[in-house]
Amino acid sequence: MERLVVANWKMNGSIKLVQEFHSLQNNPKTTTIICPPSCYLPLLKPSSFKLGAQNCHQAEKGAFTGEVSPAHLKELGCQYVIVGHSERRTLFQENDSLINQKAAQAIEHGMIPIVCVGETYLERQEGRFKQALLAQMDRALHNLDSQKYVIAYEPIWSIGTGLVPTNKDIEEVLEMIHARLGRSAKIIYGGSVTDKNILTLSQISNLDGVLVGGASLNIKTFQTIIDAF
Ligand code: PGA
């Protein structure tokens, strides 16, 4: 099984980092996807990796000052686009219905949306995380072909916090998602993935890869994560 290793630079990085990443080495067992801020997309020359975006607008074009359309991303060589990241949901008020439109547009333009879902700390503590995740998936993936997207399971409490669920906890969620969407649905994990915990995470046999935030901003650390598979 080929695993996905996705770098989400968020609103970080620089032209210098872009240049450094041109020496990233491929691991034949993985597909590496770099998602820089969209202004850097034309500067990153995909070689050992593929290009992805961190977000897209739900319309193909129009009077939406400041937005980037899926058609633009496709033209710049993006093959993937992250939609519904929890930062988009909480800081930019994106809901599942909007995320569903974005994912549909990405597919329409020949890209693979990486659709993020994840529970809050409270939902996990109170044992409501399964319902919360299923509800997000049912709305955000409505009417989409499960062969045409990747799901990123990103517990909100683990993003940028250093807290990572146990492999057993992740396996439980994978099991639930597969039961809902079918065995062939691709699911990756994100939230505080580092060069220190990647060997543990890579033991999860039916995990299709990882989404890496902070640890993807350093080429050495990120290379270690790629090489762990
Ligand atoms: P993190 O971010 O690896 O820094 O926790 C992951 C993400 O937000 O996608």
Side-chain angles (χ1 to χ4, degrees):
M1 177 173 76
E2 196 177 71
R3 318 264 199 135
L4 301 178
V5 181
V6 186
N8 175 13
W9 286 5
K10 309 193 181 186
M11 201 173 74
N12 296 300
S14 58
I15 294 177
K16 185 169 170 278
L17 190 70
V18 165
Q19 285 161 353
E20 276 175 38
F21 265 63
H22 287 138
S23 58
L24 201 67
Q25 301 297 308
N26 185 38
N27 170 353
K29 293 200 210 113
T30 67
T31 296
T32 304
I33 301 153
I34 310 292
C35 306
S38 55
C39 54
Y40 292 140
L41 284 167
L43 302 181
L44 261 172
K45 302 281 164 265
S47 47
S48 56
F49 54 82
K50 296 182 174 175
L51 280 184
Q54 299 175 15
N55 179 35
C56 68
H57 194 267
Q58 65 276 21
E60 180 172 336
K61 59 180 178 178
F64 302 104
T65 302
E67 291 293 316
V68 175
S69 89
H72 297 144
L73 298 176
K74 181 69 183 171
E75 197 175 22
L76 292 179
C78 281
Q79 299 185 47
Y80 293 82
V81 53
I82 298 171
V83 296
H85 188 280
S86 76
E87 286 148 20
R88 300 294 317 172
R89 291 172 184 264
T90 53
L91 303 173
F92 301 93
Q93 289 78 45
E94 293 195 2
N95 62 26
D96 288 316
S97 146
L98 179 66
I99 292 157
N100 180 250
Q101 292 173 48
K102 290 184 176 203
Q105 272 293 325
I107 293 171
E108 185 82 8
H109 285 84
M111 292 181 288
I112 299 176
I114 300 172
V115 183
C116 302
V117 295
E119 80 279 5
T120 62
Y121 186 70
L122 201 64
E123 285 164 341
R124 166 68 58 173
Q125 285 303 100
E126 294 179 350
R128 294 184 282 120
F129 65 99
K130 289 191 178 173
Q131 296 94 301
L133 289 169
L134 289 174
Q136 282 176 35
M137 288 189 325
D138 287 351
R139 293 185 298 247
L141 304 172
H142 182 65
N143 275 343
L144 303 181
D145 177 346
S146 64
Q147 302 302 304
K148 298 200 170 159
Y149 55 74
V150 172
I151 298 172
Y153 169 52
E154 297 210 298
I156 295 170
W157 50 272
S158 95
I159 296 176
T161 59
L163 299 172
V164 180
T166 63
N167 280 9
K168 195 160 159 278
D169 287 339
I170 297 174
E171 277 159 7
E172 186 184 13
V173 170
L174 296 182
E175 199 51 48
M176 179 191 76
I177 299 178
H178 280 137
R180 189 66 141 221
L181 300 171
R183 282 283 133 197
S184 59
K186 266 195 179 317
I187 313 165
I188 63 177
Y189 167 80
S192 295
V193 176
T194 66
D195 53 336
K196 306 283 182 303
N197 57 29
I198 190 63
L199 277 178
T200 305
L201 289 166
S202 68
Q203 312 284 308
I204 304 175
S205 59
N206 56 353
L207 185 66
D208 293 296
V210 288
L211 202 167
V212 189
S216 72
L217 292 167
N218 177 300
I219 186 164
K220 260 182 76 188
T221 312
F222 190 59
Q223 185 73 60
T224 306
I225 294 172
I226 294 170
D227 294 342
F229 287 105

